[in-house]
Amino acid sequence: MKMESKNNIAKFKILKCIINENKFIHKSDIYEKTKVPIEQINVILKELEKSGYEFSFNPHLGYKLVKVPEEYNPTLIKAGLNTEIIGKQINTYKKVNSTNKKLLANTNSKEGMVLLSEAQFNGKGRRNRKWVSPEGGIYLSILLKSREDRKYIPIFNLIGAISIAESLKELYNLPVSVKWPNDVVLDSKKISGVLSEVDSRSENRMVMGIGINVNIDSKQLPPRSISVKEYLQRSENINKLKLIWELLKNLEEKYFLYKNNKLKNIMEKWKYYSGLLGKQVKIFSGTGEILEGYVNNIDGSSGAMILRTDTGLEKVILEGTVEKI
Ligand code: BT5
């Protein structure tokens, strides 16, 4: 048991070192950086290859990680994470009912805990809608804490959606936009959705759930959906891990802004990624009302939409589905 965990620590160090390098690295440099003896580095590299990692080897330059297995491995996920709290605790699964449901049920989870599954039997959307969750997508939930004075769900949905949009733009240059309150769309098709929920037992425990269509054929998805792989017309699978690292880093950055009451920055990002500001829209509100008007703004503290109706009234809408007219 002790040997096993020592080997795991060495594996973690080596992976972190190779991932951070992000280019070829010599074994001697791996040793310099990790202090894992060269013989053990050799053994670990072989073990990693056996479990699906692929390295490109150049006798002059050394090793470079080119492919990681599709299966999640918490050690590897942690190795590439650049965060302070999000993802310090990670649980991974092959298939669960719903990552949100599972995380909400886990009363021992700490702030920043991440739960990831390769697929879901019964992925949830808002108001009992379904989130179709075949293998090839990212399905994750994160435990967060809301500020005492800001328990609004829409702001969490916006933080999630903006972070997803930013990550997809930074990594693949996708021309994505954020559709209030919780969708990320590409070419008017949905590529990702966010579902934030409050833990009914403890009001400031929030679970933010994120689904992203990554390596999925849209034939498996509802109409008007798209995946990253499909949009980019790649034959090789997209590296989900890289996207997870980028996403959790971006998310933590926004989460800290929220915690420190610096919401102005989040609203600026929303303005950048939203195609909606100033546009004429129809809103099917959470209370069943249908409203028409122009999107005036998003309220910085709650994430609610401020709609100016034809009669000049300003309406504050916390939840709903929006359509451009
Ligand atoms: C959402 O709801 O968009 C929230 C989706 C959140 C999913 C994540 S996955 C991890 C975590 N665990 C869960 O159980 N859920 C979260 P909403 O705005 O209500 O949109 C739902 C609608 O999107 C459905 O009615 C379909 O029309 C459409 N839809 C369902 N699956 C989709 C998919 N994979 N891609 C694109 N659109 C989809």
Side-chain angles (χ1 to χ4, degrees):
M1 182 67 194
K2 228 177 172 181
M3 266 316 281
E4 170 61 18
S5 64
K6 254 191 166 169
N7 197 44
N8 267 342
I9 292 169
K11 212 182 248 179
F12 176 83
K13 281 188 188 164
I14 290 172
L15 276 170
K16 193 171 172 87
C17 170
I18 295 178
I19 290 162
N20 282 343
E21 198 64 24
N22 206 18
K23 53 185 191 308
F24 283 95
I25 179 165
H26 270 296
K27 256 188 240 171
S28 53
D29 291 330
I30 302 181
Y31 167 72
E32 278 307 317
K33 292 190 172 167
T34 62
K35 299 293 176 228
V36 176
I38 296 280
E39 310 84 75
Q40 203 184 348
I41 296 178
N42 286 335
V43 173
I44 287 176
L45 288 177
K46 285 218 173 75
E47 278 177 16
L48 288 169
E49 276 175 336
K50 264 196 206 147
S51 48
Y53 297 84
E54 269 178 44
F55 299 95
S56 173
F57 175 70
N58 177 307
H60 301 292
L61 303 171
Y63 291 85
K64 184 181 177 198
L65 185 63
V66 289
K67 198 170 169 199
V68 298
E70 281 293 297
E71 226 166 76
Y72 289 131
N73 171 334
T75 311
L76 176 63
I77 299 172
K78 282 187 200 159
L81 267 184
N82 236 331
T83 52
E84 278 171 41
I85 54 166
I86 293 186
K88 290 292 149 192
Q89 221 187 339
I90 296 185
N91 282 355
T92 62
Y93 301 88
K94 277 224 101 46
K95 199 163 184 175
V96 295
N97 236 342
S98 146
T99 54
N100 266 29
K101 202 169 167 190
K102 198 161 177 74
L103 187 52
L104 279 166
N106 180 347
T107 44
N108 294 323
S109 49
K110 294 207 178 76
E111 182 181 17
M113 157 118 200
V114 172
L115 206 146
L116 269 155
S117 184
E118 286 167 46
Q120 297 181 117
F121 292 109
N122 204 2
K124 293 195 286 179
R126 291 177 299 152
R127 280 186 259 134
N128 287 330
R129 288 194 284 254
K130 294 229 177 304
W131 185 255
V132 180
S133 313
E135 270 174 36
I138 290 176
Y139 312 102
L140 65 82
S141 298
I142 312 165
L143 187 88
L144 301 173
K145 297 229 159 109
S146 67
R147 289 163 52 106
E148 275 308 309
D149 54 334
R150 295 221 162 97
K151 292 178 182 165
Y152 302 105
I153 285 180
I155 193 77
F156 279 88
N157 284 337
L158 273 187
I159 289 174
I162 293 166
S163 306
I164 298 162
E166 221 166 37
S167 308
L168 293 173
K169 182 126 193 9
E170 276 162 13
L171 287 180
Y172 316 111
N173 204 18
L174 297 186
V176 281
S177 53
V178 169
K179 191 175 156 212
W180 183 88
N182 69 325
D183 288 353
V184 181
V185 291
L186 181 59
D187 252 2
S188 310
K189 294 174 187 143
K190 190 156 167 173
I191 194 161
S192 176
V194 186
L195 174 69
S196 304
E197 295 183 276
V198 183
D199 184 340
S200 53
R201 289 158 309 206
S202 154
E203 272 206 345
N204 72 337
R205 270 167 56 100
M206 300 277 314
V207 165
M208 183 194 286
I210 288 178
I212 312 178
N213 301 327
V214 186
N215 296 314
I216 310 178
D217 187 330
S218 64
K219 285 192 204 92
Q220 292 175 272
L221 299 172
R224 303 182 72 74
S225 309
I226 190 143
S227 76
V228 182
K229 182 178 176 184
E230 202 166 56
Y231 183 83
L232 294 175
Q233 300 186 332
R234 294 259 178 96
S235 49
E236 280 266 304
N237 272 354
I238 305 289
N239 185 344
K240 283 194 293 183
L241 260 190
K242 247 188 159 166
L243 180 50
I244 291 167
W245 291 327
E246 188 69 25
L247 172 65
L248 296 184
K249 183 192 79 174
N250 282 331
L251 252 171
E252 185 171 273
E253 194 185 284
K254 312 276 169 309
Y255 180 53
F256 285 166
L257 287 174
Y258 162 81
K259 283 181 96 116
N260 294 320
N261 205 10
K262 292 190 175 144
L263 290 148
K264 195 164 163 255
N265 185 295
I266 297 176
M267 291 307 125
E268 288 305 315
K269 299 254 177 195
W270 179 78
K271 283 180 190 158
Y272 177 77
Y273 282 107
S274 147
L276 285 180
L277 206 63
K279 294 274 163 25
Q280 198 179 7
V281 293
K282 190 182 228 180
I283 296 198
F284 302 86
S285 84
T287 54
E289 232 182 327
I290 301 177
L291 295 154
E292 277 186 27
Y294 292 84
V295 181
N296 227 4
N297 215 339
I298 290 288
D299 174 45
S301 61
S302 63
M305 176 180 282
I306 301 169
L307 191 78
R308 189 165 38 80
T309 63
D310 291 340
T311 53
L313 278 178
E314 276 200 349
K315 288 247 177 191
V316 180
I317 301 151
L318 268 172
E319 228 243 308
T321 303
V322 62
E323 259 180 26
K324 268 194 210 169
I325 315 184

